[in-house]
Amino acid sequence: MSRINGFVGRRHFLVGSGIVAAAGISSLIWGVQEVTTPQHALADADKVNPSPVTPDEALQRLLDGNNRFLRQQRKYPDQSLERVRLIAKAQYPFASILGCADSRVPAEIVFDQGLGDLFVVRVAGNVASDSAIGSLEYSTAVLGAGLIVVLGHKRCGAVTAALEEKPVTGRVGLIIESIKPGIEQVKLSTGDVSEEAVVANILYQTEKLQERSTILGKLMAQSKLKIVGALYNLDTGKVSIVT
């Protein structure tokens, strides 16, 4: 495999050479492959980032953007045609988001970011599925994003369905089953079970990213990556860090 989402490095490219799925655990083994392509033909995924951002700086940038969103003082950064032309050559997202697919939680809007700023993976229930993990491995190991935010939200329908224990037909059932292990203890709570379950699921999916990916784990051990959980308030638009 020499391409991922149309991006190929001219000099080196990280390639997944194997997937091991045993006891629900999978890992990718990345190799290096020489690739030569015309400079103008494909976006270069392995150029040195001219403006690297640390994990802590990335998180603060997101929180600052959310504050602008809340105050209705959005800057709408990186949304010009000049920006379009610039990132056509290469992309350097400073953060990755594993968010719920809910239409009310668009990451670029609530964090006041623009084109090429965020690498966003969205799936109902912000579930850390194998495909989501693989996408995040690409955004970090290849594109250099130093932060992953697992972004859940209040009154998440997927989490509610997992709490109800009702049979779910179709593929959506796989999503619900991926949430249930993380919310088992919440059912015993005497508080707001719905909100507690949403937070528990965020924490559970955050842990899954670290436990099921040796690539992400290695980047964290090298202090090149931080993974945090966050909760979006549907009523106010505020994002709160929960880890």
Side-chain angles (χ1 to χ4, degrees):
M1 181 175 63
S2 62
R3 301 188 185 186
I4 300 180
N5 295 334
F7 293 92
V8 180
R10 290 177 304 183
R11 297 177 300 277
H12 303 91
F13 193 78
L14 296 174
V15 180
S17 61
I19 299 178
V20 180
I25 300 176
S26 65
S27 63
L28 281 142
I29 305 172
W30 296 77
V32 178
Q33 176 178 330
E34 291 290 332
V35 180
T36 302
T37 61
Q39 183 174 0
H40 65 279
L42 297 169
D44 196 341
D46 67 346
K47 287 183 178 178
V48 176
N49 189 337
S51 302
V53 178
T54 68
D56 288 336
E57 290 171 342
L59 181 57
Q60 190 59 54
R61 186 179 294 187
L62 291 179
L63 295 177
D64 289 345
N66 182 241
N67 284 331
R68 293 195 301 270
F69 174 71
L70 292 173
R71 298 194 305 266
Q72 299 186 47
Q73 297 176 350
R74 293 172 63 193
K75 293 183 178 180
Y76 302 96
D78 299 329
Q79 297 182 26
S80 65
L81 287 178
E82 181 182 359
R83 177 68 172 177
V84 171
R85 290 188 288 268
L86 178 63
I87 63 173
K89 301 175 183 178
Q91 62 166 326
Y92 307 109
F94 70 84
S96 300
I97 310 292
L98 173 56
C100 182
D102 193 294
S103 63
R104 298 165 292 181
V105 197
E108 287 87 353
I109 293 178
V110 303
F111 287 119
D112 192 26
Q113 302 300 322
L115 297 164
D117 292 332
L118 304 179
F119 190 97
V120 182
V121 179
R122 297 180 68 179
V123 61
N126 40 277
V127 169
S129 63
D130 287 343
S131 58
I133 293 173
S135 296
L136 293 170
E137 288 176 335
Y138 174 71
S139 72
T140 54
V142 179
L143 300 182
L147 174 70
I148 296 175
V149 177
V150 179
L151 182 62
H153 64 92
K154 290 190 175 185
R155 301 193 298 278
C156 178
V159 175
T160 299
L163 281 171
E164 292 177 346
E165 294 285 0
K166 295 180 181 178
V168 179
T169 60
R171 298 280 180 171
V172 69
L174 299 176
I175 295 175
I176 304 305
E177 292 301 318
S178 296
I179 295 173
K180 287 182 178 180
I183 64 174
E184 284 300 318
Q185 295 301 316
V186 174
K187 296 176 183 178
L188 305 176
S189 173
T190 58
D192 186 338
V193 174
S194 178
E195 182 166 339
E196 289 182 15
V198 167
V199 173
N201 180 53
I202 293 171
L203 298 176
Y204 176 63
Q205 305 303 333
T206 300
E207 292 174 359
K208 282 177 64 177
L209 289 179
Q210 301 175 49
E211 294 173 356
R212 297 182 60 182
S213 173
T214 55
I215 293 173
L216 299 182
K218 183 177 181 179
L219 290 172
M220 292 183 69
Q222 296 172 343
S223 299
K224 295 180 179 179
L225 174 67
K226 177 176 288 188
I227 303 177
V228 302
L231 174 67
Y232 179 76
N233 189 320
L234 289 176
D235 300 306
T236 68
K238 182 177 177 57
V239 174
S240 302
I241 302 302
V242 298
T243 54

